[in-house]
Every structure is written in structure tokens, then in C-alpha cells.
């Protein structure tokens, strides 16, 4: 699992993209707004510069992290080849159900679909797909690059395999699932 797509370039989405990219994952950050994507890259760069000034990372780490992120405005292009999609769109149930229905149709059958929701039932979101066993909550805490906790939330039908993959992946990000 090396290819990650993050949906939504706002505060949580850009933090999630930053965290995966800094841990060596190839990240596709997608948003309907190219302005939001530009702002996200600027925020990630600023946060990396702050880490660099505190000597927490090197210039090479910063450049590597930024080179691991590509931006997209077209969802179908952004999810091509994704091992995991993490949705971090606005906390709107209708929007999330629409996104997951669309993801189910355009993603590879083995792609795990994650959501950063903190308030919507994972079982309800999974019901919008034909892969309830591969839908899981990955609720990151803000600011994502700094906070260590990731709340991993199973839906009623989330498989043990999916849960174990996400638990291990969270640890690879130096997070506590």
C-alpha cells in the first residue's frame, strides 16, 4: 500500500496529505477547487518550513515530502491506482454518501475507502457502496502532522483484514491508532 488519494484540500485534507507524503507514500490530493489545492500546497510548504526551522526535518525531507504530492481536480484521475482513498470533504452526510457511491464505481475493487468523519456512521457510509467490508473510518486529529492519535472506526461489515491494514498503516505514519 503506497498510493494514497486524499479527497478535500481543506485543513484536514491537506494535513492528511502532508502526513502520508512525509511518511513516503505517493499522495494524490483532489479537490473541486484549484484555488483550494494551491492554498493546500502553500500551507503544507509553510508547515514544512516551520519544521525545517526547528530542525525537526532536513531540506531533503521537505523536498521529498512535496515531491510525493500531486494535485488533481478530477476525481476519476486522482483515484486511479489508489490503494487507499481517504475522504476529508465537508461534514455533510449527503455529500459523503454521494462521494462514496462514486468512489465505489470508479475505484479498483481492492481499494480501501476511508473517511475522516467524526460524526457520521461508518455503516451508513459503507451502505452507499458494494464494498462495506473495505470501508473504514480514519479520524485524524488536528493539526494532523503533529497530533499522534488516529481514531480507527469499523463499520458493521468492515473486515478484520481492512482494519488490520489501516491499523498498521496508521503506525507507519508514526500515529497511535
Amino acid at each position: 500500500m503506497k498510493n494514497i488519494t486524499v479527497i478535500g484540500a481543506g485543513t484536514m485534507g491537506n494535513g492528511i496529505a502532508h502526513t502520508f507524503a512525509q511518511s513516503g507514500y505517493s499522495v494524490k490530493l483532489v479537490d473541486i477547487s484549484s484555488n483550494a489545492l494551491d492554498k493546500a500546497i502553500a500551507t503544507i510548504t509553510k508547515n514544512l518550513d516551520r519544521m525545517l526551522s526547528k530542525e525537526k526535518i532536513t531540506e531533503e525531507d521537505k523536498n521529498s515530502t512535496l515531491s510525493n504530492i500531486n494535485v488533481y481536480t478530477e476525481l476519476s484521475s486522482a483515484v486511479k491506482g489508489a490503494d487507499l482513498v481517504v475522504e476529508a470533504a465537508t461534514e455533510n452526510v449527503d455529500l459523503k454518501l454521494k462521494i462514496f457511491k462514486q468512489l465505489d464505481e470508479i475505484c479498483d475493487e481492492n481499494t480501501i475507502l476511508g473517511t475522516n468523519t467524526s460524526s457520521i456512521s461508518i455503516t451508513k457510509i459503507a451502505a452507499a457502496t458494494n464494498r462495506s467490508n473495505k470501508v473504514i473510518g480514519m479520524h485524524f486529529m488536528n493539526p494532523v502532522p503533529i497530533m499522534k492519535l488516529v481514531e480507527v472506526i469499523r463499520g458493521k461489515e468492515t473486515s478484520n483484514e481492512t482494519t488490520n491494514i489501516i491499523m498498521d498503516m496508521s503506525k507507519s505514519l508514526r500515529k497511535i491508532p
Side-chain angles (χ1 to χ4, degrees), residues 14 30 43 46-47 62 101 135 137 159 168 171:
N14 77 57
V30 62
T43 298
K46 183 180 86 177
N47 290 337
K62 172 190 167 184
K101 183 177 181 351
V135 178
S159 71
D168 290 344
K171 291 173 189 170

PDB file of all heavy atoms in Angstrom, residues 14 30 43 46-47 62 101 135 137 159 168 171:
ATOM      1  N   ASN A  14      -5.418  18.619   3.740  1.00  0.00           N
ATOM      2  CA  ASN A  14      -4.019  18.937   3.466  1.00  0.00           C
ATOM      3  C   ASN A  14      -3.106  18.391   4.560  1.00  0.00           C
ATOM      4  O   ASN A  14      -1.989  17.971   4.295  1.00  0.00           O
ATOM      5  CB  ASN A  14      -3.793  20.424   3.162  1.00  0.00           C
ATOM      6  CG  ASN A  14      -3.785  21.341   4.354  1.00  0.00           C
ATOM      7  OD1 ASN A  14      -3.007  21.172   5.282  1.00  0.00           O
ATOM      8  ND2 ASN A  14      -4.639  22.347   4.317  1.00  0.00           N
ATOM      9  N   VAL A  30      -6.986  15.690  -4.071  1.00  0.00           N
ATOM     10  CA  VAL A  30      -8.006  16.109  -5.029  1.00  0.00           C
ATOM     11  C   VAL A  30      -9.028  17.022  -4.361  1.00  0.00           C
ATOM     12  O   VAL A  30      -9.411  16.809  -3.209  1.00  0.00           O
ATOM     13  CB  VAL A  30      -8.691  14.893  -5.705  1.00  0.00           C
ATOM     14  CG1 VAL A  30      -9.412  14.019  -4.712  1.00  0.00           C
ATOM     15  CG2 VAL A  30      -9.647  15.312  -6.807  1.00  0.00           C
ATOM     16  N   THR A  43       0.086  25.817   2.365  1.00  0.00           N
ATOM     17  CA  THR A  43       0.015  25.501   3.798  1.00  0.00           C
ATOM     18  C   THR A  43       0.991  24.389   4.160  1.00  0.00           C
ATOM     19  O   THR A  43       1.711  24.485   5.163  1.00  0.00           O
ATOM     20  CB  THR A  43      -1.426  25.095   4.187  1.00  0.00           C
ATOM     21  OG1 THR A  43      -2.288  26.198   3.936  1.00  0.00           O
ATOM     22  CG2 THR A  43      -1.522  24.686   5.648  1.00  0.00           C
ATOM     23  N   LYS A  46       4.467  25.809   4.106  1.00  0.00           N
ATOM     24  CA  LYS A  46       4.686  26.642   5.288  1.00  0.00           C
ATOM     25  C   LYS A  46       4.927  25.773   6.531  1.00  0.00           C
ATOM     26  O   LYS A  46       5.830  26.043   7.330  1.00  0.00           O
ATOM     27  CB  LYS A  46       3.477  27.568   5.509  1.00  0.00           C
ATOM     28  CG  LYS A  46       3.640  28.532   6.682  1.00  0.00           C
ATOM     29  CD  LYS A  46       2.421  29.421   6.840  1.00  0.00           C
ATOM     30  CE  LYS A  46       1.409  28.676   7.682  1.00  0.00           C
ATOM     31  NZ  LYS A  46       0.202  29.410   7.994  1.00  0.00           N
ATOM     32  N   ASN A  47       4.131  24.712   6.679  1.00  0.00           N
ATOM     33  CA  ASN A  47       4.301  23.819   7.830  1.00  0.00           C
ATOM     34  C   ASN A  47       5.634  23.079   7.783  1.00  0.00           C
ATOM     35  O   ASN A  47       6.292  22.897   8.815  1.00  0.00           O
ATOM     36  CB  ASN A  47       3.131  22.841   7.922  1.00  0.00           C
ATOM     37  CG  ASN A  47       1.836  23.527   8.318  1.00  0.00           C
ATOM     38  OD1 ASN A  47       1.842  24.597   8.911  1.00  0.00           O
ATOM     39  ND2 ASN A  47       0.720  22.913   7.972  1.00  0.00           N
ATOM     40  N   LYS A  62      11.903  17.941   3.368  1.00  0.00           N
ATOM     41  CA  LYS A  62      10.880  18.871   2.871  1.00  0.00           C
ATOM     42  C   LYS A  62      10.636  18.641   1.381  1.00  0.00           C
ATOM     43  O   LYS A  62       9.491  18.487   0.938  1.00  0.00           O
ATOM     44  CB  LYS A  62      11.311  20.320   3.120  1.00  0.00           C
ATOM     45  CG  LYS A  62      10.400  21.339   2.470  1.00  0.00           C
ATOM     46  CD  LYS A  62      10.968  22.751   2.525  1.00  0.00           C
ATOM     47  CE  LYS A  62      10.194  23.663   1.603  1.00  0.00           C
ATOM     48  NZ  LYS A  62      10.746  25.014   1.547  1.00  0.00           N
ATOM     49  N   LYS A 101     -20.518   6.591  -3.088  1.00  0.00           N
ATOM     50  CA  LYS A 101     -21.174   5.877  -4.197  1.00  0.00           C
ATOM     51  C   LYS A 101     -20.324   5.999  -5.458  1.00  0.00           C
ATOM     52  O   LYS A 101     -20.078   5.023  -6.160  1.00  0.00           O
ATOM     53  CB  LYS A 101     -22.578   6.449  -4.421  1.00  0.00           C
ATOM     54  CG  LYS A 101     -23.373   5.731  -5.501  1.00  0.00           C
ATOM     55  CD  LYS A 101     -24.779   6.313  -5.593  1.00  0.00           C
ATOM     56  CE  LYS A 101     -25.696   5.691  -6.590  1.00  0.00           C
ATOM     57  NZ  LYS A 101     -25.190   4.734  -7.522  1.00  0.00           N
ATOM     58  N   VAL A 135     -14.692  -0.430   3.852  1.00  0.00           N
ATOM     59  CA  VAL A 135     -14.947   0.960   4.240  1.00  0.00           C
ATOM     60  C   VAL A 135     -14.646   1.105   5.729  1.00  0.00           C
ATOM     61  O   VAL A 135     -15.076   0.277   6.540  1.00  0.00           O
ATOM     62  CB  VAL A 135     -16.399   1.383   3.933  1.00  0.00           C
ATOM     63  CG1 VAL A 135     -16.666   2.814   4.394  1.00  0.00           C
ATOM     64  CG2 VAL A 135     -16.683   1.240   2.435  1.00  0.00           C
ATOM     65  N   GLY A 137     -13.377   4.124   9.023  1.00  0.00           N
ATOM     66  CA  GLY A 137     -13.116   5.482   9.472  1.00  0.00           C
ATOM     67  C   GLY A 137     -11.666   5.641   9.869  1.00  0.00           C
ATOM     68  O   GLY A 137     -11.107   4.783  10.554  1.00  0.00           O
ATOM     69  N   SER A 159     -14.146  -5.507   7.418  1.00  0.00           N
ATOM     70  CA  SER A 159     -13.447  -6.768   7.666  1.00  0.00           C
ATOM     71  C   SER A 159     -12.270  -6.588   8.622  1.00  0.00           C
ATOM     72  O   SER A 159     -11.720  -5.486   8.765  1.00  0.00           O
ATOM     73  CB  SER A 159     -12.945  -7.368   6.349  1.00  0.00           C
ATOM     74  OG  SER A 159     -11.857  -6.594   5.850  1.00  0.00           O
ATOM     75  N   ASP A 168      -2.064  -0.951  10.883  1.00  0.00           N
ATOM     76  CA  ASP A 168      -0.635  -0.997  10.546  1.00  0.00           C
ATOM     77  C   ASP A 168      -0.208   0.264   9.802  1.00  0.00           C
ATOM     78  O   ASP A 168       0.867   0.812  10.056  1.00  0.00           O
ATOM     79  CB  ASP A 168      -0.306  -2.241   9.717  1.00  0.00           C
ATOM     80  CG  ASP A 168      -0.396  -3.532  10.523  1.00  0.00           C
ATOM     81  OD1 ASP A 168      -0.404  -3.467  11.773  1.00  0.00           O
ATOM     82  OD2 ASP A 168      -0.474  -4.608   9.895  1.00  0.00           O
ATOM     83  N   LYS A 171       0.237   3.154  12.123  1.00  0.00           N
ATOM     84  CA  LYS A 171       1.515   3.047  12.840  1.00  0.00           C
ATOM     85  C   LYS A 171       2.670   3.457  11.939  1.00  0.00           C
ATOM     86  O   LYS A 171       3.642   4.057  12.408  1.00  0.00           O
ATOM     87  CB  LYS A 171       1.706   1.627  13.366  1.00  0.00           C
ATOM     88  CG  LYS A 171       0.746   1.272  14.481  1.00  0.00           C
ATOM     89  CD  LYS A 171       0.844  -0.197  14.867  1.00  0.00           C
ATOM     90  CE  LYS A 171      -0.277  -0.580  15.822  1.00  0.00           C
ATOM     91  NZ  LYS A 171      -0.343  -2.046  16.017  1.00  0.00           N
TER      92      LYS A 171
END
